[in-house]
Short mmCIF file of all heavy atoms in Angstrom, two decimals:
data_model
loop_
_atom_site.label_atom_id
_atom_site.label_comp_id
_atom_site.label_asym_id
_atom_site.label_seq_id
_atom_site.Cartn_x
_atom_site.Cartn_y
_atom_site.Cartn_z
N LYS A 330 -12.71 -72.32 -36.36
CA LYS A 330 -12.51 -71.62 -35.08
C LYS A 330 -13.94 -71.48 -34.45
O LYS A 330 -14.10 -71.68 -33.27
CB LYS A 330 -12.02 -70.25 -35.43
CG LYS A 330 -10.49 -70.17 -35.41
CD LYS A 330 -10.02 -68.80 -35.61
CE LYS A 330 -8.64 -68.78 -36.31
NZ LYS A 330 -8.41 -67.63 -36.98
N LEU A 331 -14.94 -71.21 -35.26
CA LEU A 331 -16.33 -71.18 -34.76
C LEU A 331 -16.74 -72.40 -34.10
O LEU A 331 -17.29 -72.41 -32.90
CB LEU A 331 -17.35 -70.75 -35.82
CG LEU A 331 -18.77 -70.67 -35.47
CD1 LEU A 331 -18.98 -69.47 -34.54
CD2 LEU A 331 -19.65 -70.37 -36.75
N THR A 332 -16.38 -73.52 -34.69
CA THR A 332 -16.88 -74.80 -34.04
C THR A 332 -16.13 -75.01 -32.75
O THR A 332 -16.71 -75.36 -31.76
CB THR A 332 -16.36 -76.03 -34.97
OG1 THR A 332 -17.10 -75.81 -36.28
CG2 THR A 332 -16.78 -77.34 -34.40
N LYS A 333 -14.85 -74.72 -32.65
CA LYS A 333 -14.14 -74.84 -31.44
C LYS A 333 -14.67 -73.92 -30.35
O LYS A 333 -14.77 -74.29 -29.19
CB LYS A 333 -12.57 -74.56 -31.62
CG LYS A 333 -11.86 -75.60 -32.29
CD LYS A 333 -10.33 -75.54 -32.07
CE LYS A 333 -9.67 -76.55 -32.83
NZ LYS A 333 -8.61 -76.03 -33.82
N LEU A 334 -15.00 -72.66 -30.71
CA LEU A 334 -15.55 -71.66 -29.86
C LEU A 334 -16.77 -72.17 -29.21
O LEU A 334 -16.99 -72.08 -28.00
CB LEU A 334 -15.64 -70.35 -30.54
CG LEU A 334 -15.52 -69.08 -29.84
CD1 LEU A 334 -14.17 -68.98 -29.15
CD2 LEU A 334 -15.79 -67.85 -30.76
N ILE A 335 -17.62 -72.66 -30.03
CA ILE A 335 -18.97 -73.09 -29.42
C ILE A 335 -18.80 -74.31 -28.63
O ILE A 335 -19.46 -74.36 -27.59
CB ILE A 335 -19.96 -73.47 -30.71
CG1 ILE A 335 -20.13 -72.30 -31.69
CG2 ILE A 335 -21.27 -74.04 -30.14
CD1 ILE A 335 -21.26 -71.39 -31.34
N LYS A 336 -17.89 -75.17 -29.00
CA LYS A 336 -17.60 -76.37 -28.22
C LYS A 336 -17.10 -75.94 -26.81
O LYS A 336 -17.40 -76.60 -25.77
CB LYS A 336 -16.66 -77.34 -28.84
CG LYS A 336 -17.38 -78.20 -29.92
CD LYS A 336 -16.81 -79.60 -29.83
CE LYS A 336 -17.55 -80.50 -30.82
NZ LYS A 336 -16.76 -80.53 -32.18
N SER A 337 -16.16 -75.03 -26.84
CA SER A 337 -15.61 -74.57 -25.58
C SER A 337 -16.54 -73.91 -24.63
O SER A 337 -16.34 -73.74 -23.39
CB SER A 337 -14.40 -73.62 -25.87
OG SER A 337 -14.88 -72.39 -26.27
N ASN A 338 -17.68 -73.52 -25.24
CA ASN A 338 -18.76 -72.94 -24.39
C ASN A 338 -19.81 -73.96 -24.00
O ASN A 338 -20.80 -74.06 -24.68
CB ASN A 338 -19.36 -71.71 -25.18
CG ASN A 338 -20.57 -71.24 -24.38
OD1 ASN A 338 -20.46 -70.99 -23.12
ND2 ASN A 338 -21.63 -70.94 -25.01
N SER A 339 -19.47 -74.70 -23.01
CA SER A 339 -20.32 -75.87 -22.67
C SER A 339 -21.52 -75.40 -21.90
O SER A 339 -22.34 -76.20 -21.37
CB SER A 339 -19.60 -76.91 -21.95
OG SER A 339 -18.87 -76.29 -20.78
N VAL A 340 -21.66 -74.11 -21.71
CA VAL A 340 -22.73 -73.54 -20.90
C VAL A 340 -24.13 -73.87 -21.31
O VAL A 340 -25.09 -74.03 -20.48
CB VAL A 340 -22.59 -72.01 -20.87
CG1 VAL A 340 -23.65 -71.31 -19.98
CG2 VAL A 340 -21.32 -71.57 -20.30
N PHE A 341 -24.22 -74.04 -22.64
CA PHE A 341 -25.62 -74.24 -23.20
C PHE A 341 -26.24 -75.56 -22.74
O PHE A 341 -25.82 -76.64 -22.98
CB PHE A 341 -25.63 -74.23 -24.68
CG PHE A 341 -26.98 -73.87 -25.24
CD1 PHE A 341 -27.19 -72.63 -25.71
CD2 PHE A 341 -27.92 -74.75 -25.26
CE1 PHE A 341 -28.53 -72.20 -26.17
CE2 PHE A 341 -29.28 -74.44 -25.80
CZ PHE A 341 -29.47 -73.21 -26.25
N THR A 342 -27.36 -75.39 -21.98
CA THR A 342 -28.10 -76.58 -21.56
C THR A 342 -29.54 -76.45 -22.03
O THR A 342 -30.17 -75.43 -21.72
CB THR A 342 -28.13 -76.75 -20.05
OG1 THR A 342 -27.79 -75.48 -19.47
CG2 THR A 342 -27.14 -77.77 -19.61
N PRO A 343 -30.05 -77.50 -22.63
CA PRO A 343 -31.49 -77.35 -22.97
C PRO A 343 -32.32 -77.38 -21.72
O PRO A 343 -31.92 -77.94 -20.65
CB PRO A 343 -31.80 -78.67 -23.86
CG PRO A 343 -30.57 -79.49 -23.77
CD PRO A 343 -29.40 -78.71 -23.09
N LEU A 344 -33.48 -76.75 -21.75
CA LEU A 344 -34.38 -76.74 -20.66
C LEU A 344 -34.88 -78.12 -20.33
O LEU A 344 -35.28 -78.81 -21.24
CB LEU A 344 -35.55 -75.74 -21.04
CG LEU A 344 -36.69 -75.61 -19.97
CD1 LEU A 344 -36.27 -75.09 -18.78
CD2 LEU A 344 -37.87 -74.80 -20.69
N PRO A 345 -34.70 -78.57 -19.09
CA PRO A 345 -35.14 -79.90 -18.70
C PRO A 345 -36.58 -80.18 -19.09
O PRO A 345 -37.43 -79.27 -18.94
CB PRO A 345 -35.01 -79.92 -17.21
CG PRO A 345 -33.97 -78.89 -16.93
CD PRO A 345 -34.10 -77.87 -17.98
N LYS A 346 -36.85 -81.42 -19.56
CA LYS A 346 -38.13 -81.75 -20.13
C LYS A 346 -39.31 -81.47 -19.16
O LYS A 346 -40.28 -80.94 -19.61
CB LYS A 346 -38.22 -83.20 -20.57
CG LYS A 346 -37.92 -83.44 -21.98
CD LYS A 346 -38.85 -84.50 -22.57
CE LYS A 346 -38.85 -84.51 -24.10
NZ LYS A 346 -37.61 -84.97 -24.79
N ASP A 347 -39.15 -81.92 -17.87
CA ASP A 347 -40.23 -81.76 -16.96
C ASP A 347 -40.56 -80.30 -16.75
O ASP A 347 -41.66 -79.83 -16.63
CB ASP A 347 -39.91 -82.44 -15.66
CG ASP A 347 -38.62 -82.11 -15.04
OD1 ASP A 347 -37.72 -81.76 -15.80
OD2 ASP A 347 -38.37 -82.25 -13.84
N ALA A 348 -39.45 -79.52 -16.68
CA ALA A 348 -39.60 -78.01 -16.46
C ALA A 348 -40.41 -77.40 -17.69
O ALA A 348 -41.27 -76.62 -17.52
CB ALA A 348 -38.34 -77.34 -16.23
N LYS A 349 -40.01 -77.88 -18.86
CA LYS A 349 -40.66 -77.43 -20.04
C LYS A 349 -42.09 -77.74 -20.09
O LYS A 349 -42.97 -76.84 -20.31
CB LYS A 349 -40.00 -77.96 -21.27
CG LYS A 349 -40.36 -77.32 -22.60
CD LYS A 349 -39.76 -77.95 -23.81
CE LYS A 349 -38.42 -77.45 -24.09
NZ LYS A 349 -37.82 -77.80 -25.43
N GLU A 350 -42.48 -79.02 -19.70
CA GLU A 350 -43.89 -79.41 -19.62
C GLU A 350 -44.66 -78.58 -18.62
O GLU A 350 -45.73 -78.20 -18.84
CB GLU A 350 -43.98 -80.89 -19.26
CG GLU A 350 -43.55 -81.85 -20.28
CD GLU A 350 -44.15 -81.49 -21.68
OE1 GLU A 350 -45.38 -81.27 -21.85
OE2 GLU A 350 -43.40 -81.47 -22.75
N LYS A 351 -43.98 -78.22 -17.50
CA LYS A 351 -44.69 -77.47 -16.54
C LYS A 351 -44.99 -76.07 -17.03
O LYS A 351 -46.13 -75.53 -16.83
CB LYS A 351 -43.75 -77.36 -15.19
CG LYS A 351 -44.65 -77.54 -13.92
CD LYS A 351 -43.67 -77.54 -12.69
CE LYS A 351 -43.45 -76.19 -12.11
NZ LYS A 351 -42.35 -76.11 -11.11
N ILE A 352 -43.98 -75.46 -17.59
CA ILE A 352 -44.12 -74.08 -18.15
C ILE A 352 -45.22 -74.15 -19.28
O ILE A 352 -46.12 -73.31 -19.27
CB ILE A 352 -42.82 -73.64 -18.72
CG1 ILE A 352 -41.79 -73.39 -17.56
CG2 ILE A 352 -43.02 -72.32 -19.51
CD1 ILE A 352 -40.43 -73.05 -18.09
N LYS A 353 -45.16 -75.20 -19.97
CA LYS A 353 -46.18 -75.28 -21.08
C LYS A 353 -47.63 -75.41 -20.65
O LYS A 353 -48.52 -74.73 -21.08
CB LYS A 353 -45.77 -76.60 -21.92
CG LYS A 353 -46.33 -76.52 -23.40
CD LYS A 353 -46.03 -77.71 -24.14
CE LYS A 353 -45.06 -77.53 -25.30
NZ LYS A 353 -44.71 -78.70 -26.06
N SER A 354 -47.79 -76.29 -19.60
CA SER A 354 -49.17 -76.50 -19.20
C SER A 354 -49.70 -75.18 -18.41
O SER A 354 -50.87 -74.87 -18.62
CB SER A 354 -49.28 -77.77 -18.16
OG SER A 354 -48.71 -77.40 -16.94
N ASN A 355 -48.85 -74.48 -17.77
CA ASN A 355 -49.20 -73.19 -17.15
C ASN A 355 -49.64 -72.23 -18.27
O ASN A 355 -50.65 -71.56 -18.16
CB ASN A 355 -48.03 -72.58 -16.45
CG ASN A 355 -48.19 -72.65 -14.95
OD1 ASN A 355 -49.31 -72.77 -14.47
ND2 ASN A 355 -47.04 -72.64 -14.29
#
Side-chain angles (χ1 to χ4, degrees):
Chain A
K330 274 184 208 153
L331 179 64
T332 300
K333 282 201 186 123
L334 210 57
I335 302 271
K336 279 221 178 94
S337 72
N338 174 45
S339 52
V340 177
F341 202 101
T342 21
L344 178 62
K346 264 222 162 72
D347 53 333
K349 192 183 272 188
E350 288 312 315
K351 220 175 93 193
I352 291 173
K353 203 185 243 177
S354 74
N355 252 337

